[in-house]
Amino acid sequence: MKEFAPLPDSASIVSVTDRVKPVALGMAVTSAHFLGPRAAFVGGEENVAFVDAKGEITRVAVHSGGILSTASDGKRLVMGGDDGKVVSLDAEGEVMLLATDPKRRWIDAVALHADGAFAWSAGKTATVKSGKAEEKSIEVPSTVGGLAFAPKGLRLAIAHYNGVTLWFPNMAGSAEFLPWAGSHHGVTFSPDNKFLVTAMHEPALHGWRLADSRHMRMTGYPGRVRSMSWSVGGKGLATSGADTVIIWPFGSKDGPMGKEPAMLAPLQARVSVVACHPKNDILAAGYSDGTVLMVRLEDGAEILVRRNGTPPVAALAWNAKGTLLAFADENGDGGLLEL
């Protein structure tokens, strides 16, 4: 991928920094979500901090140790911890214990399905619980790196070393294996259910077209991709890992095969987290120097939300309507922007 020169003068960017309501969470933050009208900032240890539109903070204890994995559907948060527990948190602040690993192993990954099913992993074991049905588990060849439910049907993608296992827990028969050498971590289905993409331990993505298992290599990153977000309608996959937001095209039947990605919002800092707007072709990007930008996908126009000079941005989230943006850095200093 070609390189862009840094912006000559950040002061030339349209700024809305004066409209941001500062939030001092006082804890390391690993992710952000919206549950109802409140932002939910997940800490690295024990707590989730709810922040309302006025900036008032309410802490809720969810684990007795480190919080290792999170997933949200906008109605509840599901989290896994190093205490071997899977818990949920709803918009009212109610915590519910969903599962406990019998060996008290770390819960490395969790996933949520639109119908309320959830999945979690500990070591090489992935488990699904759906409604009142019994828990069902599967062993994969190596430690699970990531989990994702398909948007249609109860199908679970389990990323691990040397590939991804695709499993229908409610159907008889063997799981499908999609091979590719290397260690696979984050995994995501495209919204149209046609593609599967993983973030690898090396600085690259790998993908498969599900109709025929054809491989898709997405390389050229200077660093590991730790954040992925689908644009509205699934036309593009925005990613971190470079000093510009990399957006791979998925609007055709071939996805990004044979195509160059779009590269937007270049800075002299690496993109640490991305979050696409739920309604419009806009995204928010956080950087390793603390900068937060909003970017229009059509032409790359930028709006400055937060200036640089802080720890890396660790969390970004839009509410369901796309009218609120929440962000926080690794130290827990962040803000809310109402659009």
Side-chain angles (χ1 to χ4, degrees), residues 54-166:
K54 296 180 180 179
E56 295 181 0
I57 301 172
T58 303
R59 297 184 188 279
V60 181
V62 294
H63 281 281
S64 59
I67 303 171
L68 306 179
S69 50
T70 61
S72 176
D73 59 5
K75 298 177 182 177
R76 62 175 177 164
L77 261 173
V78 171
M79 293 160 283
D82 64 8
D83 55 5
K85 296 179 179 180
V86 182
V87 303
S88 68
L89 175 68
D90 66 17
E92 303 302 319
E94 181 178 349
V95 180
M96 180 181 296
L97 177 64
L98 300 178
T100 302
D101 183 72
K103 299 178 182 178
R104 294 282 179 168
R105 294 174 295 177
W106 290 9
I107 308 300
D108 300 306
V110 292
L112 262 174
H113 191 275
D115 70 359
F118 59 96
W120 70 95
S121 69
K124 301 177 183 180
T125 306
T127 303
V128 169
K129 173 73 172 174
S130 177
K132 296 181 180 180
E134 294 183 2
E135 295 178 1
K136 296 185 178 180
S137 298
I138 186 173
E139 292 279 328
V140 294
S142 58
T143 300
V144 176
L147 298 172
F149 280 109
K152 299 177 183 178
L154 194 65
R155 190 185 200 189
L156 184 69
I158 308 164
H160 49 79
Y161 192 72
N162 284 343
V164 175
T165 296
L166 291 177

Side-chain angles (χ1 to χ4, degrees), residues 23-270:
V23 176
L25 298 163
M27 65 179 188
V29 172
T30 58
S31 65
H33 312 268
F34 273 90
L35 295 179
R38 297 192 292 177
F41 292 93
V42 180
E45 298 280 341
E46 299 182 357
N47 296 312
V48 172
F50 278 116
V51 182
D52 64 20
K54 296 180 180 179
E56 295 181 0
I57 301 172
T58 303
R59 297 184 188 279
V60 181
V62 294
H63 281 281
S64 59
I67 303 171
L68 306 179
S69 50
T70 61
S72 176
D73 59 5
K75 298 177 182 177
R76 62 175 177 164
L77 261 173
V78 171
M79 293 160 283
D82 64 8
D83 55 5
K85 296 179 179 180
V86 182
V87 303
S88 68
L89 175 68
D90 66 17
E92 303 302 319
E94 181 178 349
V95 180
M96 180 181 296
L97 177 64
L98 300 178
T100 302
D101 183 72
K103 299 178 182 178
R104 294 282 179 168
R105 294 174 295 177
W106 290 9
I107 308 300
D108 300 306
V110 292
L112 262 174
H113 191 275
D115 70 359
F118 59 96
W120 70 95
S121 69
K124 301 177 183 180
T125 306
T127 303
V128 169
K129 173 73 172 174
S130 177
K132 296 181 180 180
E134 294 183 2
E135 295 178 1
K136 296 185 178 180
S137 298
I138 186 173
E139 292 279 328
V140 294
S142 58
T143 300
V144 176
L147 298 172
F149 280 109
K152 299 177 183 178
L154 194 65
R155 190 185 200 189
L156 184 69
I158 308 164
H160 49 79
Y161 192 72
N162 284 343
V164 175
T165 296
L166 291 177
W167 179 43
F168 282 102
N170 291 340
M171 295 178 64
S174 301
E176 181 183 357
F177 178 59
L178 300 176
W180 186 263
S183 184
H184 300 259
H185 295 285
V187 58
T188 180
F189 284 90
S190 62
D192 62 7
N193 211 38
K194 294 180 179 178
F195 303 97
L196 185 74
V197 179
T198 62
M200 302 193 67
H201 182 74
E202 63 185 88
L205 301 180
H206 193 78
W208 294 265
R209 186 169 61 186
L210 294 174
D212 56 8
S213 300
R214 184 174 176 183
H215 294 285
M216 301 180 295
R217 290 286 285 153
M218 290 160 274
T219 61
Y221 292 90
R224 277 182 61 187
V225 176
R226 300 178 185 273
S227 179
M228 301 183 287
S229 180
W230 292 97
S231 67
V232 62
K235 293 177 289 186
L237 179 63
T239 64
S240 66
D243 57 2
T244 174
V245 180
I246 306 298
I247 306 174
W248 295 96
F250 279 84
S252 71
K253 64 180 180 65
D254 294 325
M257 290 184 282
K259 302 180 181 69
E260 288 290 322
M263 291 175 277
L264 305 179
L267 287 183
Q268 290 181 308
R270 190 160 293 177

Side-chain angles (χ1 to χ4, degrees), residues 243-320:
D243 57 2
T244 174
V245 180
I246 306 298
I247 306 174
W248 295 96
F250 279 84
S252 71
K253 64 180 180 65
D254 294 325
M257 290 184 282
K259 302 180 181 69
E260 288 290 322
M263 291 175 277
L264 305 179
L267 287 183
Q268 290 181 308
R270 190 160 293 177
V271 178
S272 55
V273 60
V274 291
C276 289
H277 192 279
K279 304 286 187 181
N280 301 309
D281 284 332
I282 299 168
L283 64 80
Y287 292 77
S288 60
D289 65 356
T291 301
V292 176
L293 294 174
M294 286 193 297
V295 187
R296 191 164 58 199
L297 302 187
E298 180 183 6
D299 56 6
E302 301 164 10
I303 295 176
L304 181 66
V305 177
R306 188 197 203 198
R307 300 188 187 280
N308 61 7
T310 67
V313 179
L316 285 172
W318 297 95
N319 68 347

Side-chain angles (χ1 to χ4, degrees), residues 34 37 53 317-319 321-326 336-339:
F34 273 90
W318 297 95
N319 68 347
K321 295 180 180 179
T323 56
L324 281 171
L325 174 66
L336 290 175
L337 173 64
E338 185 173 0
L339 301 178

